[in-house]
Each structure stands twice: as C-alpha cells, then as structure tokens.
Amino acid sequence: SLKMASDSPESLMTLCTDYCLRNLEGTLCYLLDNETLRLHPDIFLPSEICDKLVNEYVELVKTDSIFEPHESFFTLFSDPRSTRLARIHLREHIVQDQDLEAIRKQDLIELYLTNCEKLTAKSLQTLVSFSHTLISLSLFGCCNIFYEEENPGGCEDDCLVNPTRQVLVKDFTFEGFSRLRFLNLGRLIEGVNVETLLRPLASLAALDLSGIQLNDVGFLTQWKDSLVSLVLYNMDLSEEHIQVIAQLRKLRHLDISRDHLSSYYKFKLTRRVLNLFVENLVNLTSLDISGHTMLENCTIPSMEEKMGQTSIEPAKSSIAPFRSLKRPLQFLGLFETSLCRLTHIPAYKVSGDKNEEQVLNAIEAYTEHRPEITSRAINLLFDIARIERCSQLLRALQLVITALKCHKDDKNIQVTGSAALFYLTNSEYRMEQSVKLRRQVIQVVLNGMESYQEVTVQRNCCLTLCNFSIPEELEFQYRRVNELLLNILNQSRQDESIQRIAVHLCNALVCQVDNDHKEAVGKMGFVMTMLKLIQKKLADKTCDQVMEFSWSALWNITDETPDNCEMFLNYSGMKLFLECLKEFPEKQELHRNMLGLLGNVAEVKELRPQLMTSQFISVFSNLLESKADGIEVSYNACGVLSHIMFDGPEAWGICEPHREEVVKRMWAAIQSWDINSRRNINYRSFEPILRLLPQGISPVSQHWATWALYNLVSVYPDKYCPLLIKEGGIPLLKDMIKMASARQETKEMARKVIEHCSNFKEENMDTSR
C-alpha cells in the first residue's frame, strides 16, 4: 500500500507524528549515557500510534535527506507493555536484522518487508516469533533473507584465509504460521524450494510469486478452495501452468503479466486460454495480461463494431473471449499489448498505453513493485503532458511524486519522472495546484538532485524549479536548494546548459530576500562560487548569460549585506571587475550589473578605503560618461563616487584624479540624465540614499541622492512614495532645504519630491466611511 501524495491538509495525527519523530529527545524519549534513545518510563502507546510512528519513520529516512536516522530507534518498541505494533511496512536498507530482532516480542498482524536487502537468515528466525499472529507477510525483493553467513574454518585466524561465505538456508518453512493468509515472495532468489516452503500453510488467500521461475506449479491446487489472488508476474508460462490456474476456481484476481523487454518468452496468449479463464474462473474481477504477445486473433473484426462507442457491456466486447463475462471486470491490465487500443474493453479500469486514463492506471498499479514498467508508463505520461493537455492533472502529479519518492535510487524513474514534473508544473497548470502539492514537488525534485549527479536528472530538476515563484515558493527549503545549486556549480566538469539554469536560479534566490538569508548563503560559499565562474568565463574570453547572471547574483547578494561585500573584495573581486571591463568594453548589461554591485560595496563605510585608488577612481569617473543601458551605468558609477565623496576631502588619499575634477564630472553627468528614465533597478530600502541627505561635506552626493528619489517617486509612485514616507525621508528632505550648503537646484528637486509624495497620499486616502 503506497502512500499517495494527498492534496488535503495534513491530519493532526500526522503533524504530531512528524513532530515527535523529528524531536524524539524532546518528546517521547530521553538519551541514556548520551547515546541510547530510551522511551520515558510513563509512556504507553497503542498500536494505532506505534504503527504510524514506525511507518512514518521509514518514510522520513527514505525521502527526507535532512532527517537523521537513529541507531536504536526500533528498540523503543521492544516491550509490548509500553508500545504495541500491529501493522508495519519496512523498506530497503533502512531495516537490518537487529531491528526486526528488537521488536520480536510484538504480536504483528501485518509485516511488509520491501527490498530489504540487508536482512539475512537471522531475520527468518525472528519471523518465527511472529508466526502465531501474522496474517499478512511480504518478503518482496529481500534477496538475502535466505542466506546465512558460514565461517568454514570456525577459528579466528582462519577467517583471513577462508572469509565467511553466503550459504543458502534450505530447511526453513512456514511451519507454525497458522494464521498466514496473504504472502508475497516476489523476486525470491533461485534455489529456495517454494513448494516445501509453502506446504504447511493451511489456507492461503493471496500469493505473489513475481519474478520467480517455476516449471511446475501443480502444488497451487492445494489452495483451490481458498486462493482468491495469484500474481505470477514475469513467470514464463506453459500449457501446464494454464491448466493449474484454471482449477483455482475461487480466484478473483489473476496477474500473469510480464515485462516484454526483460527476456525471451516462448509462451503466447491465445483466444483459447482467455476462454478457459472466463469459463472456469467465474469469480474473476481483475485480470492482468500486460506485456503479452497475442498469438491468435482475439479481437472481433471491426465490421461488427460501431467505432468509438466505448461500452462496459461485455456482450459488445472487442475482445472475443470476454463477451461471455457475466459482468465487466473491475480491472484489466493491457499495458504494452495490442488489445488496449480496441474500442470496447469490458472493464471499469484498464491499464494500457493508448490514452491518459490507461497510462495513469498503469503508473498507479505498477509503481510499488515494478519500477521497470512504471518508468515506461511515466515516459508516456511525459509525452501526453508535453504534447496535449493533461485532463487529470492532480492525479498525474500525485502519481509521479509517489513514484519518485518510492524509487529514489532508480535512475530511469528519476529521469522520466523529473521530466514529467517539468511539464506538469508549468504555468498553464499553476492555478490547479495547492501550496502543499507544489511543496511536495519541490521536495522530490531536491531529493533527485541530491541522489543523482547525473546530467539529465540535474537538468530536469533545475528546469522544474524554474516553474516556481522564486524565492517565495522555495523559501521553506532555502538552505538546501542553495547548497544543491552551489554544489552543481562547483563541479569541475560542467554541462553548459545546467550551469546557465543553475546560475539563473541562484540569482533569483538571492533577489528580494532578507539579509539573514543572504548572509547564510554567503557563508555557504556563494560569493566565491560566482567569482570562480566569472574567472572561468574570462579565461575563455566569453561573455554569455552565465557571466551576466553571475555578476547580477553578486549584485543581489551584496545588497545591504556588508559581510558579502567584504568577501567580494577579499576574493579579488575588484581585479575581476577591471579585467571584465577591459575584456568586454561593449557589454552594457555586464557593466550595469558590475556597477550595481560596486554601489553596494561603496555603501559600506569600512570598505570604501579599498576603492580609494587612482585606478578605480579613474575607471568610475570615465564610466560617468557611459551611455550604456540608458542611464544605468552612469547612475551607478555616480552612486559609487557619491558615497566616496561623502567621506570628505581628508579621505581622498590620491593625487590623480583631483577630487574637484571628479566632482565636476559628477555634476555634469547628473544634469545630462532624463528625469523620466524608466529604471532597471529595484530598491528594497532607501536607507543608503537617505544617509547622503543631512550633510554639507559633499553637495554633489546630496544632489545625486535627491535626483534618485525624484526619479523613482515620479516614475513609480505606487511603489516608492509609500517607501519614502515609511522610511522618514520627508523630514530629512525638509531639513536639507533649510541647509545653507545645499545647492539651489538640489532644494528645488527636494520640494518636487515632497510635493509628489503629498499628492500621492491625498489621492490614496481612504475616503469611505
């Protein structure tokens, strides 16, 4: 039973379970001797809670990389007087022999062990302790559970010469498992005698022998009065098999499907075989014949059909043998057979490859135990999502999420699943998706990026993240997503397209977020990573999107974040700035990004002395005349110089160029700008501009600040008038107008800014009573 990603809110039970598992020490447990988890002595938990704790724990270890597994977790459930377990589902490497051993005193009713490859024959002995209560058991894919280690020499020194070897246990049977009704032995290793193993079971109701080759299944007739479900997936059938199956008259579910790619099968399904099933298995409600080749023509010639009239009346069936069914089947598996394309299929649910409904049914039916089939079904869904519109979007998304979670280590599913997610989350489907569902998508995408350094998966995952609003929708996984992207960008061999998408994402992630986020990402090595990328591009003499995005990302991450500005200087950022200017004199977008970043550095008083060299000041002064990108480059160069001038003449520690000469060029530049310029800039706070107003040491800096405010409040009043009022800009402007040292034109402009803001306030006042 796979957990489907649901779209309804989490239950209180789920939230509490999750909280307790993430905080075991603070809730149910204490640490003994600083290492062993122990349950508090006054706790008693019923099976409803214990089952959920164990099953959720397995799920968390499997799908949440941040969750730390606990060595002694299963020992918490060792005493039935304080904890009760009844139905548990354990998966993969998470469970080892000692974990099952720890809970051997529990009266388990249902135990599903799926692909638990670490379990050995020691666990077979533990199973015996559950034998008196167990009703359902799955050992699917537990490929080592019938092996025990045998040391042939038996002595210490001998071990080096004769290492332990794996020996098959031949004498284990289900003797004493008197209540066992449901058993899954899928992918059992060769050499185990299935007939001997199962003979003691008195009344089996369901048996799964997927992936096991048995030439003789005659022993199945001992359960002909009790067996209602039989799965023989990937068993190469013969006429003898068919005759035995036809005797199991109580069967309601029969699965003889196969993976048509896995090996060569001699057996072909005929009209006669299907007729035999329909005649003998009168209770059949579910049949799976996926992957089979049909030898004789099982279909009715199309003259008898009115094409396109789907009907669940068996009498109209396009598959001849099914015309004699008493009622339609609940499920019919026809995936990768020619029959799924027929007009009349007498079943309520069909798995196949003809349309979206059939494909989704296939993903749903095969995800847990048949990843090889599931990845091909998801590939078909990918084509449907890419070419047509998905009509069952939520179901499709939930099924893909479930498959990706369940098969975190299956490369094929990760490739096809991540590609399908890209199309299922794009903007045309956006309205239909809840916050919870979109978060689940982000989680599985990040899991994929973590588990796979493989190019296709990484590219698909990065592209899928681009379908989300960044940073808002990724904020709940902020650290993790940044770490993963930086990890991609720090790899020595890089795929050009992934590099471009990853830099774009990094840039978007540090735009419009709080300063503590920016500081945290800076500490992760963000600044260093971007500078390394710039260095590489410089060496190749390429100015592409990666180069531009890297500078833009540095501009964003240094915004009002002094620590990151300092890192930029410490890692030779200024050297790269000069080299890029020299190498790419015509690249306007690049110049704008670089100067925006230097504007941030110049806002930090302690760092300004490092900008105070003849070379830098000359470069900034020359850029005042730049017409690149409208006024942006000139404006940013003037901003950098305004902050430097604000430190006064005594901070001007260079002979060339002269301070007065640079001031003159700044006035000229500001006067040349069009006050109605639409801007390529985004201020979250005016604080760095406002600090230039109440001073007399550099009137030109005061003028640049006033011009900046006037331009922004007149071109974008809705955004910037409220910001200026909120940050106390109006009294600062009023005080400046009274200052003797301020220039007349600066005062005129300040009055216009105040006027703009008061008009804006009046227009937007709430006049409703």
Side-chain angles (χ1 to χ4, degrees):
S1 66
L2 266 184
K3 267 185 46 180
M4 276 284 281
S6 123
D7 208 29
S8 54
E10 297 290 11
S11 68
L12 188 55
M13 173 76 161
T14 303
L15 292 170
C16 292
T17 309
D18 187 72
Y19 183 81
C20 287
L21 288 170
R22 290 178 192 277
N23 303 279
L24 279 171
E25 269 179 72
T27 52
L28 306 171
C29 304
Y30 65 96
L31 264 190
L32 183 69
D33 308 330
N34 274 340
E35 53 177 354
T36 318
L37 271 180
R38 281 287 162 84
L39 215 56
H40 283 298
D42 54 351
I43 281 180
F44 173 79
L45 298 172
S47 60
E48 292 80 359
I49 291 177
C50 292
D51 291 351
K52 200 157 171 58
L53 282 167
V54 169
N55 296 335
E56 284 298 318
Y57 171 81
V58 171
E59 184 78 7
L60 278 176
V61 175
K62 195 168 158 13
T63 59
D64 188 338
S65 62
I66 301 160
F67 183 77
E68 285 293 324
H70 294 278
E71 217 31 19
S72 50
F73 178 77
F74 286 89
T75 58
L76 301 177
F77 304 91
S78 56
D79 186 353
R81 288 170 305 185
S82 57
T83 53
R84 291 282 169 85
L85 288 173
R87 297 180 167 81
I88 58 173
H89 300 198
L90 309 178
R91 307 181 69 89
E92 297 171 24
H93 61 275
I94 297 160
V95 60
Q96 305 189 24
D97 290 327
Q98 64 264 29
D99 299 324
L100 272 192
E101 173 75 13
I103 57 169
R104 72 185 182 284
K105 292 182 184 161
Q106 295 285 357
D107 291 338
L108 290 184
I109 294 168
E110 186 176 286
L111 174 61
Y112 289 175
L113 302 169
T114 308
N115 296 323
C116 299
E117 297 183 358
K118 288 197 172 175
L119 297 182
T120 70
K122 286 184 189 143
S123 287
L124 286 180
Q125 296 319 308
T126 310
L127 287 182
V128 176
S129 48
F130 307 129
S131 59
H132 57 293
T133 53
L134 216 50
I135 293 172
S136 281
L137 173 66
S138 168
L139 300 177
F140 181 87
C142 299
C143 52
N144 295 312
I145 201 163
F146 280 88
Y147 279 116
E148 63 185 347
E149 289 186 352
E150 186 188 74
N151 186 345
C155 105
E156 291 295 315
D157 303 330
D158 222 21
C159 299
L160 300 170
V161 190
N162 297 316
T164 42
R165 50 196 185 114
Q166 302 284 308
V167 183
L168 199 59
V169 172
K170 297 248 168 95
D171 55 357
F172 178 83
T173 72
F174 286 110
E175 186 70 58
F177 285 73
S178 54
R179 303 183 64 187
L180 197 61
R181 309 253 301 139
F182 303 91
L183 180 62
N184 184 341
L185 294 175
R187 305 214 343 250
L188 187 71
I189 44 129
E190 278 182 41
V192 177
N193 187 324
V194 179
E195 184 178 348
T196 316
L197 188 67
L198 300 181
R199 193 179 292 121
L201 296 173
S203 49
L204 263 188
L207 181 62
D208 187 327
L209 299 172
S210 296
I212 302 173
Q213 290 311 325
L214 294 177
N215 296 328
D216 179 10
V217 290
F219 66 91
L220 293 176
T221 54
Q222 78 183 74
W223 300 292
K224 66 177 190 293
D225 296 326
S226 64
L227 206 61
V228 292
S229 169
L230 178 64
V231 178
L232 304 175
Y233 169 69
N234 265 355
M235 190 180 286
D236 198 7
L237 305 172
S238 65
E239 184 56 39
E240 288 75 29
H241 289 82
I242 299 302
Q243 292 307 325
V244 170
I245 293 168
Q247 292 175 56
L248 307 174
R249 291 174 174 270
K250 290 274 167 66
L251 276 186
R252 292 205 292 268
H253 170 63
L254 172 64
D255 182 345
I256 52 166
S257 63
R258 63 191 195 191
D259 174 0
H260 76 98
L261 296 183
S262 70
S263 61
Y264 175 71
Y265 293 98
K266 296 179 284 297
F267 182 78
K268 307 274 192 289
L269 259 188
T270 62
R271 191 170 183 151
R272 183 188 58 79
V273 170
L274 290 182
N275 274 328
L276 194 67
F277 289 164
V278 173
E279 281 163 32
N280 289 285
L281 310 177
V282 291
N283 298 317
L284 210 58
T285 60
S286 164
L287 173 66
D288 202 330
I289 53 174
S290 296
H292 275 281
T293 313
M294 301 300 178
L295 188 63
E296 294 168 18
N297 195 354
C298 295
T299 59
I300 307 277
S302 60
M303 287 147 48
E304 294 180 34
E305 284 183 31
K306 286 198 178 73
M307 285 300 282
Q309 250 185 288
T310 18
S311 150
I312 41 177
E313 293 171 49
K316 293 184 176 174
S317 170
S318 306
I319 305 166
F322 293 153
R323 289 201 155 183
S324 44
L325 283 169
K326 304 279 180 293
R327 56 196 166 279
L329 293 167
Q330 293 295 323
F331 176 85
L332 179 56
L334 301 175
F335 189 71
E336 295 180 323
T337 68
S338 52
L339 301 181
C340 71
R341 296 181 182 80
L342 297 171
T343 314
H344 296 298
I345 302 173
Y348 292 107
K349 209 170 195 178
V350 177
S351 76
D353 42 50
K354 177 176 181 275
N355 54 34
E356 184 184 349
E357 173 67 23
Q358 287 186 1
V359 167
L360 292 177
N361 290 340
I363 299 172
E364 189 169 15
Y366 310 129
T367 286
E368 177 147 43
H369 292 128
R370 302 178 192 174
E372 62 284 1
I373 305 284
T374 308
S375 72
R376 301 207 290 273
I378 293 176
N379 208 20
L380 292 165
L381 175 65
F382 162 75
D383 282 334
I384 293 167
R386 186 170 57 98
I387 299 159
E388 309 158 34
R389 187 181 162 85
C390 263
S391 54
Q392 299 183 52
L393 173 77
L394 292 183
R395 185 177 172 219
L397 252 183
Q398 289 172 341
L399 286 167
V400 174
I401 288 171
T402 302
L404 283 166
K405 274 179 150 177
C406 186
H407 299 287
K408 202 173 154 190
D409 305 321
D410 185 302
K411 185 182 155 192
N412 289 336
I413 284 193
Q414 291 299 322
V415 170
T416 55
S418 57
L421 280 185
F422 170 69
Y423 285 101
L424 292 169
T425 52
N426 69 18
S427 52
E428 64 169 313
Y429 296 126
R430 178 69 182 274
M431 294 309 292
E432 301 169 47
Q433 295 163 14
S434 68
V435 171
K436 180 181 168 190
L437 194 63
R438 287 178 74 81
R439 284 190 166 192
Q440 285 171 326
V441 172
I442 291 165
Q443 294 275 25
V444 290
V445 164
L446 298 182
N447 286 345
M449 286 169 75
E450 224 145 33
S451 309
Y452 279 89
Q453 300 307 314
E454 201 274 336
V455 173
T456 324
V457 176
Q458 298 268 350
R459 185 186 300 115
N460 291 350
C461 290
C462 285
L463 281 169
T464 302
L465 289 179
C466 294
N467 286 338
F468 290 81
S469 306
I470 304 170
E472 301 80 22
E473 286 192 280
L474 297 183
E475 200 130 15
F476 79 108
Q477 290 280 296
Y478 197 75
R479 266 199 83 86
R480 188 174 170 214
V481 74
N482 274 297
E483 274 169 0
L484 285 166
L485 291 169
L486 293 179
N487 191 26
I488 289 175
L489 291 171
N490 283 321
Q491 285 160 14
S492 48
R493 291 190 55 232
Q494 277 179 359
D495 175 272
E496 191 66 32
S497 61
I498 298 183
Q499 195 184 54
R500 193 172 58 247
I501 305 159
V503 177
H504 160 72
L505 284 165
C506 277
N507 188 20
L509 277 162
V510 291
C511 190
Q512 305 293 301
V513 289
D514 296 338
N515 293 4
D516 51 350
H517 273 337
K518 291 182 186 177
E519 276 174 27
V521 176
K523 289 193 179 80
M524 282 180 212
F526 189 100
V527 176
M528 170 92 96
T529 304
M530 294 303 145
L531 288 170
K532 272 193 202 151
L533 289 173
I534 292 166
Q535 182 94 55
K536 267 190 204 153
K537 292 292 170 190
L538 245 177
D540 301 341
K541 298 191 179 333
T542 355
C543 180
D544 55 4
Q545 280 184 313
V546 172
M547 173 72 107
E548 284 177 11
F549 284 153
S550 300
W551 279 107
S552 176
L554 286 171
W555 181 5
N556 282 321
I557 201 172
T558 52
D559 176 37
E560 293 186 46
T561 316
D563 288 5
N564 292 341
C565 293
E566 188 172 7
M567 258 186 248
F568 169 78
L569 292 178
N570 291 347
Y571 298 139
S572 319
M574 290 306 287
K575 180 170 170 283
L576 284 178
F577 162 70
L578 293 173
E579 286 173 4
C580 285
L581 268 183
K582 192 170 160 212
E583 185 63 54
F584 309 112
E586 302 305 313
K587 294 287 184 184
Q588 306 194 352
E589 181 82 4
L590 184 71
H591 295 183
R592 174 174 73 90
N593 292 346
M594 294 197 303
L595 274 157
L597 154 67
L598 288 186
N600 291 339
V601 177
E603 286 170 12
V604 185
K605 186 175 172 53
E606 300 72 35
L607 301 178
R608 285 201 282 272
Q610 298 190 49
L611 303 178
M612 200 61 241
T613 70
S614 291
Q615 189 183 23
F616 293 150
I617 299 295
S618 301
V619 168
F620 300 143
S621 306
N622 292 336
L623 287 168
L624 288 169
E625 270 101 65
S626 164
K627 292 285 172 275
D629 204 12
I631 67 164
E632 295 305 325
V633 172
S634 176
Y635 170 88
N636 281 327
C638 199
V640 172
L641 290 166
S642 293
H643 287 288
I644 290 171
M645 292 295 170
F646 175 63
D647 291 336
E650 64 279 8
W652 198 267
I654 53 172
C655 305
E656 284 293 317
H658 289 300
R659 189 168 184 272
E660 289 66 40
E661 185 193 319
V662 177
V663 168
K664 219 154 82 190
R665 290 176 78 176
M666 287 167 73
W667 280 109
I670 300 172
Q671 276 150 353
S672 73
W673 302 335
D674 173 5
I675 197 66
N676 297 314
S677 300
R678 296 197 72 76
R679 304 303 305 286
N680 236 330
I681 200 159
N682 189 358
Y683 283 100
R684 287 186 311 137
S685 160
F686 280 148
E687 196 280 321
I689 293 179
L690 294 177
R691 71 172 85 134
L692 298 175
L693 293 179
Q695 49 97 13
I697 206 153
S698 171
V700 72
S701 307
Q702 212 173 33
H703 192 65
W704 174 82
T706 313
W707 190 96
L709 295 174
Y710 182 35
N711 163 259
L712 293 166
V713 298
S714 44
V715 180
Y716 307 101
D718 293 356
K719 179 170 184 183
Y720 290 120
C721 286
L723 185 63
L724 185 62
I725 293 164
K726 183 178 135 218
E727 295 196 338
I730 305 299
L732 285 173
L733 287 163
K734 285 181 175 166
D735 289 348
M736 189 260 280
I737 292 171
K738 295 178 194 150
M739 285 175 70
S741 59
R743 288 269 283 260
Q744 205 48 46
E745 55 201 292
T746 311
K747 295 180 181 184
E748 284 303 314
M749 209 171 259
R751 286 192 189 97
K752 288 179 184 166
V753 176
I754 295 166
E755 196 180 322
H756 255 291
C757 287
S758 58
N759 289 346
F760 176 82
K761 254 174 101 170
E762 277 167 28
E763 279 169 32
N764 289 279
M765 272 181 78
D766 188 2
T767 51
S768 57
R769 283 275 175 268

